[in-house]
Each structure stands twice: as structure tokens, then as C-alpha cells.
Amino acid sequence: MKTRIIIFGATGDLMQRKITSSLNLLNTEYPNTVFEIYGFGRRDLTNESFRNFLKDNVSDNLDKEFLEKIYYFKGEFHNLDDFKRFKSEIVCDDFQNLYYLAIPQELYAPVLKNLYDSQLISPNDKLLLEKPIGLDLESALHVEDIIDNHFKLDQIYRIDHYLAKMQINSILFLRKNNFLIENILNNNFVKIIEVILNEELDVDKRGLFFDKVGALVDMGLNHGLSIFAYILMDLKNQLTPENIIQSRIEALKDIEIPSSKDIIENSFIAQYEGYTDIKEVDNSSLTETYFRLKLKSKNTRWQNVDLFLESGKALGLRENKVVIHLKDNTSFELDVSHTSNIAINLNYISRNNLDFEIEKLCLKGCIDNSKEKHYVNEYAKMFLEAINSNQSYFLSRSEVLTSWKIVTPFKSLWKSGSVNLIKYKKLSSDIVNQARLRIN
């Protein structure tokens, strides 16, 4: 069956930074997968001017053959008649349509409702929704209820692009195929697990969105908790898509909802200097651009193991890793950065004469550079898996709502001022050191 992809928010930031390049790469690697791409947006553009817009605003060189597959439809997201007009333009029984919502969260509800009311969605069609779903637990529940009431479960693909990262999927591979690693992933051996997602990049042009959610939602809820789920989940005998999703759900539900006292004692928030000068950021904003917090799991396997989640922007270091600290004071790291390597760093104590020193052994699995072009990036991978109806790379309703239940108490207490917001200089690592001393 032929596939057509429709992007709502066709001229937005996500389309410019990730979606277009990913579809171009997917078209190069799998040229017969996607036959048409429609941009649905509010700007007054033609097919040709939209293609020129993408050429001018996307950093990659876009193939001529790929651009010829792209079309544009001008419509308002709140206008049902525009959706009906769009339906008359794209009617074709032998197409599978993928509707991608690359729009602000507050537009999800009206767009979903108009898709349903206009009867644009056929049984073969799918919906791709970018995280976060909603801007808080209440709005997430509202969107999820609309989805439940109007669409089938097998039509919904909630995106966390980290789930399509090769490095994240290697966690399951390592656990399933290395009994040494799997057998020490419990509280008999592990004392601390850290998920750290720090970057040098600042908020840049994402001020309007970022100021509504902060670093905890942008990176913690959107990605960090998903990584924790892969580490904490119990492996079932068969790693079917259904079993993987169910195991992730169970792992997230086992994370304890902290009390106010726990949040005050076990969380640290900061904001880089100059953040409030960014366009569309409130001058008096108390939104965190860095955080570190501690969680616990109710699962007996992880009882008394400390779970640390940390992420920040405009820092003096770039760290994307999982660190598992063992009770014998050794540790190992899994690099989850945007590299082509899967690296595990084993830290152990060695003896040099009468002195004991920490040594690091790096085990690194590298991708053959000659085959590198065959590995599509995370967004291209997600498109491909959605086309092929593999939902294990996507989130469930339960994961979305459970994640919101975990972060909401933190966000509420931070907003009240109960946890001090510290200022830090851009591209400095001092705030990270300070936080790790405070929350340990």
C-alpha cells in the first residue's frame, strides 16, 4: 500500500530542523516507501513556494526527486471546512495516510476533533503525535480522552524519538543477550542509577514552547523517564512489541510519587543567565533550564536504589549517558548521545604499588563506516516503523499519563517557590557540580 504523509505545522521549527531532513533520508534509503508528502499550514504558499521555503530553511541538501513529492495545503487548524476541502483534494483509496501533528500542544484537541469530524481518517490511516502530549496532566488527559473516543488503538503513534535511537534499543539487546549485565541489574548489586541528558545548546528559538514546560518536561518527561523504563523494566520471555510496551508501563508505574518533603530535599533547579532575554520568554520567568532530582521505585528488584534524573541546557559540558553505580564502587556507563558508537565504560579499582586508583575500561561497539548511510536517524526510523505498524517504538496512553503523574508534583512545588531557583552562567559546569553535591 502506498503511503502519504501529512504534516500539520508544515512551516514550523520541527519541520525545519528534523522532519524534512528525515523524510529526505528515508526517501533516499527506501525510495518507494513514501509517495506523497503534504504540508498543512496557515501560511499563504503554493506547492512551489513551499518547496522553496524548505530548501531555504533546511540545512541538508534536499533531493530534487524528493522535493517533487511535496505539496502544500493552506488551511486553518480550527476550521472544519478546511479539513473537508483537504479531504476532497487527497482522496485515494489505495493510500495509507500518516497524519503527523507537529503543532503546539494547545492545537492537538481541535485538530484531532476536525480530523474525526471531517472523516479524513480511514481504518488504514495513522496518527503521529509529538511529545509532550498536553502541557500538564489535565490537558494530557483531555487529549488522550479525545484519542480514545475517536480513534482505534492501532492507529495511534505517540512519538519519543529517543525510543528510535540505536543506543537506547541497545539497552534491551544488552540485557537480553548478556547474562552478566542482566544478573547484576537489581538491588543486590546496584546502588545508584543516573540518567544524564546535558547539552551545551541553549533554548535558542524555542522560547515560547520551552517557557511553558521547562527542562523537566522537555527532557525529563519526554526522554529521561523512557530511558529509565528500559533499564528498570522486567524482561519477559518474548520481546514482542506488546510485551515491551507493557513492561515499560509497569516500570513507570513502579516509580514512587514523591511527597512535598521529598521534593524539597531531593531536587535542584537552576536557570541560565540571559534566559529571560530570549524572544517570547516571560521577563520574570521562573522556568528551570537545568534540574537534578532523585526518584525511587516500589519494585522489590530496585528497593533502596537511588534513581537520579538530570538535564540542562547551555552547560559547559555535553553528557548523554546512563551511569549504573554498583555497591563495590565500580560502575558502567552507556553512551546515548548522537554518535555512531555504543560505548560502555567500566570503572574499576586497580592497585598501583600501594595506591588504589580508579581506572576506566571502555568497551565500544562501532558501526562500520562503510554502512553508515544505511542507518537512518531517529525520526526517519520512526516514520519507517509507523509505516510498518510497529508500535514498540512508540509510547502508550498509560506511559504518557504515568509520566505526567511523576513530574507534576515537582513542577507544582517548583512553581510555588518552595525550591530555590539558582542562576548559572552559560557554558559553565559549576552548576552541575553544585547540584551533584546537593542531590546525591
mmCIF file of all heavy atoms in Angstrom, residues 197-204 206 209-210 214-215 218-219 270-273 275 278 288-291 311-317 424-428 431-432:
data_model
loop_
_atom_site.group_PDB
_atom_site.id
_atom_site.type_symbol
_atom_site.label_atom_id
_atom_site.label_comp_id
_atom_site.label_asym_id
_atom_site.label_seq_id
_atom_site.Cartn_x
_atom_site.Cartn_y
_atom_site.Cartn_z
ATOM 1 N N LEU A 197 21.205 13.928 30.791
ATOM 2 C CA LEU A 197 20.988 14.449 29.432
ATOM 3 C C LEU A 197 21.310 15.937 29.426
ATOM 4 O O LEU A 197 20.429 16.787 29.419
ATOM 5 C CB LEU A 197 19.531 14.201 29.000
ATOM 6 C CG LEU A 197 19.042 12.750 29.067
ATOM 7 C CD1 LEU A 197 17.537 12.674 28.823
ATOM 8 C CD2 LEU A 197 19.787 11.867 28.076
ATOM 9 N N ASN A 198 22.583 16.253 29.443
ATOM 10 C CA ASN A 198 23.033 17.644 29.482
ATOM 11 C C ASN A 198 23.586 18.064 28.128
ATOM 12 O O ASN A 198 24.203 17.265 27.424
ATOM 13 C CB ASN A 198 24.118 17.825 30.551
ATOM 14 C CG ASN A 198 23.565 17.705 31.962
ATOM 15 O OD1 ASN A 198 22.417 18.067 32.213
ATOM 16 N ND2 ASN A 198 24.370 17.199 32.880
ATOM 17 N N GLU A 199 23.398 19.338 27.785
ATOM 18 C CA GLU A 199 23.874 19.816 26.491
ATOM 19 C C GLU A 199 24.377 21.245 26.562
ATOM 20 O O GLU A 199 24.023 22.011 27.472
ATOM 21 C CB GLU A 199 22.771 19.689 25.441
ATOM 22 C CG GLU A 199 21.492 20.418 25.762
ATOM 23 C CD GLU A 199 20.408 20.127 24.726
ATOM 24 O OE1 GLU A 199 20.725 19.596 23.662
ATOM 25 O OE2 GLU A 199 19.244 20.465 25.001
ATOM 26 N N GLU A 200 25.217 21.586 25.598
ATOM 27 C CA GLU A 200 25.771 22.932 25.517
ATOM 28 C C GLU A 200 24.807 23.903 24.851
ATOM 29 O O GLU A 200 24.886 25.108 25.067
ATOM 30 C CB GLU A 200 27.094 22.893 24.750
ATOM 31 C CG GLU A 200 28.176 22.072 25.451
ATOM 32 C CD GLU A 200 29.389 21.839 24.581
ATOM 33 O OE1 GLU A 200 29.196 21.702 23.342
ATOM 34 O OE2 GLU A 200 30.508 21.794 25.101
ATOM 35 N N LEU A 201 23.911 23.391 24.025
ATOM 36 C CA LEU A 201 22.966 24.246 23.309
ATOM 37 C C LEU A 201 22.020 24.940 24.283
ATOM 38 O O LEU A 201 21.622 24.367 25.294
ATOM 39 C CB LEU A 201 22.156 23.419 22.311
ATOM 40 C CG LEU A 201 22.926 22.746 21.180
ATOM 41 C CD1 LEU A 201 21.987 21.872 20.357
ATOM 42 C CD2 LEU A 201 23.608 23.768 20.297
ATOM 43 N N ASP A 202 21.644 26.177 23.942
ATOM 44 C CA ASP A 202 20.671 26.880 24.771
ATOM 45 C C ASP A 202 19.274 26.705 24.174
ATOM 46 O O ASP A 202 19.068 25.914 23.244
ATOM 47 C CB ASP A 202 21.040 28.356 24.928
ATOM 48 C CG ASP A 202 21.101 29.109 23.598
ATOM 49 O OD1 ASP A 202 20.549 28.601 22.599
ATOM 50 O OD2 ASP A 202 21.684 30.203 23.553
ATOM 51 N N VAL A 203 18.306 27.425 24.708
ATOM 52 C CA VAL A 203 16.921 27.285 24.261
ATOM 53 C C VAL A 203 16.729 27.813 22.843
ATOM 54 O O VAL A 203 15.862 27.353 22.094
ATOM 55 C CB VAL A 203 15.970 27.991 25.258
ATOM 56 C CG1 VAL A 203 14.542 28.007 24.730
ATOM 57 C CG2 VAL A 203 16.028 27.291 26.610
ATOM 58 N N ASP A 204 17.528 28.797 22.453
ATOM 59 C CA ASP A 204 17.537 29.346 21.094
ATOM 60 C C ASP A 204 16.155 29.870 20.693
ATOM 61 O O ASP A 204 15.592 30.702 21.396
ATOM 62 C CB ASP A 204 18.046 28.287 20.119
ATOM 63 C CG ASP A 204 18.456 28.860 18.771
ATOM 64 O OD1 ASP A 204 18.775 30.056 18.722
ATOM 65 O OD2 ASP A 204 18.445 28.123 17.773
ATOM 66 N N ARG A 206 13.272 28.352 20.681
ATOM 67 C CA ARG A 206 12.161 27.577 21.231
ATOM 68 C C ARG A 206 11.572 28.218 22.489
ATOM 69 O O ARG A 206 10.937 27.552 23.303
ATOM 70 C CB ARG A 206 12.629 26.157 21.553
ATOM 71 C CG ARG A 206 13.155 25.403 20.347
ATOM 72 C CD ARG A 206 13.745 24.064 20.766
ATOM 73 N NE ARG A 206 12.734 23.156 21.269
ATOM 74 C CZ ARG A 206 12.884 22.430 22.367
ATOM 75 N NH1 ARG A 206 13.968 22.543 23.107
ATOM 76 N NH2 ARG A 206 11.926 21.604 22.754
ATOM 77 N N PHE A 209 7.669 27.763 23.467
ATOM 78 C CA PHE A 209 7.335 26.417 23.943
ATOM 79 C C PHE A 209 8.053 26.094 25.246
ATOM 80 O O PHE A 209 7.432 25.650 26.225
ATOM 81 C CB PHE A 209 7.700 25.369 22.885
ATOM 82 C CG PHE A 209 7.730 23.959 23.423
ATOM 83 C CD1 PHE A 209 6.554 23.280 23.696
ATOM 84 C CD2 PHE A 209 8.941 23.317 23.680
ATOM 85 C CE1 PHE A 209 6.572 21.992 24.202
ATOM 86 C CE2 PHE A 209 8.972 22.034 24.192
ATOM 87 C CZ PHE A 209 7.781 21.369 24.444
ATOM 88 N N PHE A 210 9.360 26.331 25.280
ATOM 89 C CA PHE A 210 10.156 25.904 26.429
ATOM 90 C C PHE A 210 9.698 26.571 27.715
ATOM 91 O O PHE A 210 9.676 25.943 28.776
ATOM 92 C CB PHE A 210 11.643 26.189 26.185
ATOM 93 C CG PHE A 210 12.548 25.561 27.201
ATOM 94 C CD1 PHE A 210 13.072 24.302 26.989
ATOM 95 C CD2 PHE A 210 12.876 26.231 28.373
ATOM 96 C CE1 PHE A 210 13.908 23.701 27.930
ATOM 97 C CE2 PHE A 210 13.701 25.644 29.317
ATOM 98 C CZ PHE A 210 14.221 24.377 29.098
ATOM 99 N N GLY A 214 9.592 23.897 30.596
ATOM 100 C CA GLY A 214 10.840 23.778 31.326
ATOM 101 C C GLY A 214 11.612 22.515 30.989
ATOM 102 O O GLY A 214 11.147 21.635 30.250
ATOM 103 N N ALA A 215 12.813 22.413 31.563
ATOM 104 C CA ALA A 215 13.712 21.302 31.246
ATOM 105 C C ALA A 215 13.148 19.961 31.701
ATOM 106 O O ALA A 215 13.381 18.937 31.052
ATOM 107 C CB ALA A 215 15.084 21.544 31.889
ATOM 108 N N ASP A 218 10.631 18.993 28.996
ATOM 109 C CA ASP A 218 11.278 18.957 27.684
ATOM 110 C C ASP A 218 12.212 17.753 27.537
ATOM 111 O O ASP A 218 12.235 17.101 26.484
ATOM 112 C CB ASP A 218 12.060 20.251 27.457
ATOM 113 C CG ASP A 218 12.607 20.370 26.052
ATOM 114 O OD1 ASP A 218 11.854 20.098 25.098
ATOM 115 O OD2 ASP A 218 13.791 20.744 25.903
ATOM 116 N N MET A 219 12.964 17.448 28.582
ATOM 117 C CA MET A 219 13.909 16.323 28.501
ATOM 118 C C MET A 219 13.597 15.195 29.485
ATOM 119 O O MET A 219 13.743 14.025 29.157
ATOM 120 C CB MET A 219 15.339 16.831 28.747
ATOM 121 C CG MET A 219 15.856 17.733 27.651
ATOM 122 S SD MET A 219 15.955 16.923 26.035
ATOM 123 C CE MET A 219 17.261 15.738 26.302
ATOM 124 N N ALA A 270 17.729 25.229 38.347
ATOM 125 C CA ALA A 270 18.522 26.417 38.028
ATOM 126 C C ALA A 270 18.114 26.955 36.662
ATOM 127 O O ALA A 270 17.461 26.270 35.864
ATOM 128 C CB ALA A 270 20.015 26.074 38.056
ATOM 129 N N GLN A 271 18.513 28.195 36.406
ATOM 130 C CA GLN A 271 18.200 28.871 35.134
ATOM 131 C C GLN A 271 19.424 29.655 34.692
ATOM 132 O O GLN A 271 20.029 30.377 35.484
ATOM 133 C CB GLN A 271 17.014 29.822 35.341
ATOM 134 C CG GLN A 271 16.542 30.547 34.094
ATOM 135 C CD GLN A 271 15.513 31.621 34.430
ATOM 136 O OE1 GLN A 271 15.842 32.788 34.606
ATOM 137 N NE2 GLN A 271 14.240 31.216 34.511
ATOM 138 N N TYR A 272 19.787 29.509 33.415
ATOM 139 C CA TYR A 272 20.992 30.204 32.967
ATOM 140 C C TYR A 272 20.741 31.692 32.770
ATOM 141 O O TYR A 272 19.639 32.131 32.436
ATOM 142 C CB TYR A 272 21.590 29.560 31.720
ATOM 143 C CG TYR A 272 20.808 29.638 30.429
ATOM 144 C CD1 TYR A 272 20.780 30.804 29.661
ATOM 145 C CD2 TYR A 272 20.148 28.516 29.927
ATOM 146 C CE1 TYR A 272 20.107 30.867 28.452
ATOM 147 C CE2 TYR A 272 19.463 28.565 28.717
ATOM 148 C CZ TYR A 272 19.448 29.739 27.984
ATOM 149 O OH TYR A 272 18.769 29.795 26.792
ATOM 150 N N GLU A 273 21.781 32.478 33.018
ATOM 151 C CA GLU A 273 21.702 33.935 32.889
ATOM 152 C C GLU A 273 21.444 34.315 31.430
ATOM 153 O O GLU A 273 22.088 33.796 30.523
ATOM 154 C CB GLU A 273 22.997 34.575 33.392
ATOM 155 C CG GLU A 273 23.243 34.376 34.880
ATOM 156 C CD GLU A 273 24.574 34.925 35.338
ATOM 157 O OE1 GLU A 273 25.343 35.418 34.475
ATOM 158 O OE2 GLU A 273 24.862 34.877 36.550
ATOM 159 N N TYR A 275 18.453 33.824 30.003
ATOM 160 C CA TYR A 275 17.300 33.056 29.509
ATOM 161 C C TYR A 275 16.077 33.949 29.318
ATOM 162 O O TYR A 275 15.357 33.837 28.316
ATOM 163 C CB TYR A 275 16.973 31.910 30.477
ATOM 164 C CG TYR A 275 15.645 31.237 30.194
ATOM 165 C CD1 TYR A 275 15.497 30.382 29.102
ATOM 166 C CD2 TYR A 275 14.528 31.482 30.999
ATOM 167 C CE1 TYR A 275 14.272 29.785 28.825
ATOM 168 C CE2 TYR A 275 13.309 30.886 30.726
ATOM 169 C CZ TYR A 275 13.181 30.039 29.649
ATOM 170 O OH TYR A 275 11.956 29.462 29.371
ATOM 171 N N ILE A 278 15.377 35.910 26.022
ATOM 172 C CA ILE A 278 15.021 35.222 24.783
ATOM 173 C C ILE A 278 13.633 35.668 24.330
ATOM 174 O O ILE A 278 12.733 35.888 25.143
ATOM 175 C CB ILE A 278 15.049 33.694 24.994
ATOM 176 C CG1 ILE A 278 16.474 33.236 25.282
ATOM 177 C CG2 ILE A 278 14.509 32.952 23.776
ATOM 178 C CD1 ILE A 278 16.578 31.768 25.656
ATOM 179 N N GLU A 288 12.775 26.427 34.883
ATOM 180 C CA GLU A 288 14.109 25.840 35.045
ATOM 181 C C GLU A 288 14.695 25.447 33.686
ATOM 182 O O GLU A 288 13.990 24.910 32.829
ATOM 183 C CB GLU A 288 14.047 24.618 35.963
ATOM 184 C CG GLU A 288 13.559 23.314 35.340
ATOM 185 C CD GLU A 288 12.061 23.256 35.076
ATOM 186 O OE1 GLU A 288 11.331 24.166 35.518
ATOM 187 O OE2 GLU A 288 11.612 22.290 34.420
ATOM 188 N N THR A 289 15.979 25.758 33.495
ATOM 189 C CA THR A 289 16.702 25.282 32.317
ATOM 190 C C THR A 289 17.668 24.155 32.693
ATOM 191 O O THR A 289 18.319 23.580 31.819
ATOM 192 C CB THR A 289 17.485 26.425 31.647
ATOM 193 O OG1 THR A 289 18.418 26.985 32.588
ATOM 194 C CG2 THR A 289 16.536 27.532 31.174
ATOM 195 N N TYR A 290 17.753 23.872 33.987
ATOM 196 C CA TYR A 290 18.549 22.745 34.496
ATOM 197 C C TYR A 290 17.846 22.181 35.720
ATOM 198 O O TYR A 290 17.250 22.923 36.516
ATOM 199 C CB TYR A 290 19.967 23.187 34.878
ATOM 200 C CG TYR A 290 20.740 22.112 35.617
ATOM 201 C CD1 TYR A 290 21.456 21.144 34.925
ATOM 202 C CD2 TYR A 290 20.725 22.059 37.014
ATOM 203 C CE1 TYR A 290 22.137 20.133 35.608
ATOM 204 C CE2 TYR A 290 21.403 21.056 37.694
ATOM 205 C CZ TYR A 290 22.109 20.096 36.990
ATOM 206 O OH TYR A 290 22.772 19.100 37.662
ATOM 207 N N PHE A 291 17.910 20.869 35.864
ATOM 208 C CA PHE A 291 17.381 20.244 37.073
ATOM 209 C C PHE A 291 18.151 18.955 37.374
ATOM 210 O O PHE A 291 18.754 18.339 36.494
ATOM 211 C CB PHE A 291 15.886 19.907 36.924
ATOM 212 C CG PHE A 291 15.615 18.742 36.007
ATOM 213 C CD1 PHE A 291 15.552 17.442 36.501
ATOM 214 C CD2 PHE A 291 15.449 18.932 34.639
ATOM 215 C CE1 PHE A 291 15.332 16.360 35.655
ATOM 216 C CE2 PHE A 291 15.232 17.857 33.789
ATOM 217 C CZ PHE A 291 15.169 16.563 34.296
ATOM 218 N N SER A 311 19.144 16.978 33.744
ATOM 219 C CA SER A 311 19.209 17.519 32.383
ATOM 220 C C SER A 311 19.316 19.030 32.438
ATOM 221 O O SER A 311 18.753 19.677 33.334
ATOM 222 C CB SER A 311 17.974 17.117 31.572
ATOM 223 O OG SER A 311 18.070 17.609 30.247
ATOM 224 N N GLY A 312 20.038 19.594 31.484
ATOM 225 C CA GLY A 312 20.154 21.049 31.441
ATOM 226 C C GLY A 312 20.635 21.544 30.100
ATOM 227 O O GLY A 312 21.183 20.795 29.285
ATOM 228 N N LYS A 313 20.420 22.824 29.886
ATOM 229 C CA LYS A 313 20.817 23.490 28.643
ATOM 230 C C LYS A 313 21.854 24.561 28.929
ATOM 231 O O LYS A 313 21.969 25.058 30.051
ATOM 232 C CB LYS A 313 19.603 24.101 27.953
ATOM 233 C CG LYS A 313 18.597 23.058 27.476
ATOM 234 C CD LYS A 313 17.538 23.675 26.589
ATOM 235 C CE LYS A 313 16.628 22.603 26.018
ATOM 236 N NZ LYS A 313 17.349 21.654 25.127
ATOM 237 N N ALA A 314 22.617 24.930 27.895
ATOM 238 C CA ALA A 314 23.630 25.980 27.975
ATOM 239 C C ALA A 314 24.663 25.677 29.045
ATOM 240 O O ALA A 314 25.100 26.570 29.780
ATOM 241 C CB ALA A 314 22.971 27.340 28.215
ATOM 242 N N LEU A 315 25.054 24.402 29.131
ATOM 243 C CA LEU A 315 26.037 23.982 30.121
ATOM 244 C C LEU A 315 27.425 23.894 29.496
ATOM 245 O O LEU A 315 27.574 23.891 28.272
ATOM 246 C CB LEU A 315 25.641 22.627 30.713
ATOM 247 C CG LEU A 315 24.312 22.612 31.481
ATOM 248 C CD1 LEU A 315 23.902 21.180 31.795
ATOM 249 C CD2 LEU A 315 24.405 23.433 32.761
ATOM 250 N N GLY A 316 28.431 23.793 30.342
ATOM 251 C CA GLY A 316 29.802 23.702 29.849
ATOM 252 C C GLY A 316 30.232 22.294 29.531
ATOM 253 O O GLY A 316 31.429 22.012 29.412
ATOM 254 N N LEU A 317 29.282 21.400 29.391
ATOM 255 C CA LEU A 317 29.594 20.016 29.059
ATOM 256 C C LEU A 317 28.405 19.389 28.351
ATOM 257 O O LEU A 317 27.271 19.833 28.516
ATOM 258 C CB LEU A 317 29.932 19.216 30.312
ATOM 259 C CG LEU A 317 28.810 18.862 31.307
ATOM 260 C CD1 LEU A 317 29.332 17.891 32.345
ATOM 261 C CD2 LEU A 317 28.222 20.087 31.974
ATOM 262 N N TYR A 424 22.824 30.428 36.821
ATOM 263 C CA TYR A 424 24.165 29.975 36.445
ATOM 264 C C TYR A 424 24.601 30.616 35.136
ATOM 265 O O TYR A 424 23.780 31.032 34.316
ATOM 266 C CB TYR A 424 24.231 28.452 36.347
ATOM 267 C CG TYR A 424 23.390 27.792 35.268
ATOM 268 C CD1 TYR A 424 23.928 27.458 34.021
ATOM 269 C CD2 TYR A 424 22.050 27.454 35.508
ATOM 270 C CE1 TYR A 424 23.171 26.820 33.052
ATOM 271 C CE2 TYR A 424 21.285 26.812 34.548
ATOM 272 C CZ TYR A 424 21.850 26.493 33.328
ATOM 273 O OH TYR A 424 21.086 25.862 32.367
ATOM 274 N N LYS A 425 25.916 30.713 34.976
ATOM 275 C CA LYS A 425 26.472 31.298 33.761
ATOM 276 C C LYS A 425 26.400 30.290 32.618
ATOM 277 O O LYS A 425 26.601 29.094 32.822
ATOM 278 C CB LYS A 425 27.930 31.720 33.991
ATOM 279 C CG LYS A 425 28.106 32.844 34.999
ATOM 280 C CD LYS A 425 29.559 33.249 35.093
ATOM 281 C CE LYS A 425 29.747 34.360 36.122
ATOM 282 N NZ LYS A 425 29.010 35.588 35.741
ATOM 283 N N LYS A 426 26.132 30.794 31.427
ATOM 284 C CA LYS A 426 26.090 29.927 30.262
ATOM 285 C C LYS A 426 27.452 29.280 30.026
ATOM 286 O O LYS A 426 28.498 29.878 30.255
ATOM 287 C CB LYS A 426 25.672 30.719 29.011
ATOM 288 C CG LYS A 426 24.215 31.160 29.011
ATOM 289 C CD LYS A 426 23.847 31.924 27.739
ATOM 290 C CE LYS A 426 23.863 31.017 26.526
ATOM 291 N NZ LYS A 426 23.340 31.706 25.311
ATOM 292 N N LEU A 427 27.386 28.042 29.556
ATOM 293 C CA LEU A 427 28.559 27.252 29.205
ATOM 294 C C LEU A 427 29.511 27.074 30.391
ATOM 295 O O LEU A 427 30.731 27.017 30.235
ATOM 296 C CB LEU A 427 29.291 27.885 28.016
ATOM 297 C CG LEU A 427 28.469 27.996 26.726
ATOM 298 C CD1 LEU A 427 29.287 28.619 25.608
ATOM 299 C CD2 LEU A 427 27.954 26.626 26.294
ATOM 300 N N SER A 428 28.927 26.971 31.585
ATOM 301 C CA SER A 428 29.687 26.660 32.785
ATOM 302 C C SER A 428 29.197 25.325 33.340
ATOM 303 O O SER A 428 28.013 24.999 33.267
ATOM 304 C CB SER A 428 29.503 27.758 33.836
ATOM 305 O OG SER A 428 30.019 27.349 35.083
ATOM 306 N N ILE A 431 27.409 24.697 37.926
ATOM 307 C CA ILE A 431 26.083 24.414 38.469
ATOM 308 C C ILE A 431 25.845 22.910 38.559
ATOM 309 O O ILE A 431 25.156 22.424 39.480
ATOM 310 C CB ILE A 431 24.987 25.100 37.610
ATOM 311 C CG1 ILE A 431 23.663 25.141 38.378
ATOM 312 C CG2 ILE A 431 24.816 24.410 36.271
ATOM 313 C CD1 ILE A 431 23.685 26.043 39.579
ATOM 314 N N VAL A 432 26.414 22.149 37.631
ATOM 315 C CA VAL A 432 26.273 20.691 37.651
ATOM 316 C C VAL A 432 26.984 20.117 38.875
ATOM 317 O O VAL A 432 26.442 19.262 39.589
ATOM 318 C CB VAL A 432 26.824 20.069 36.352
ATOM 319 C CG1 VAL A 432 26.804 18.547 36.435
ATOM 320 C CG2 VAL A 432 26.039 20.558 35.160
#
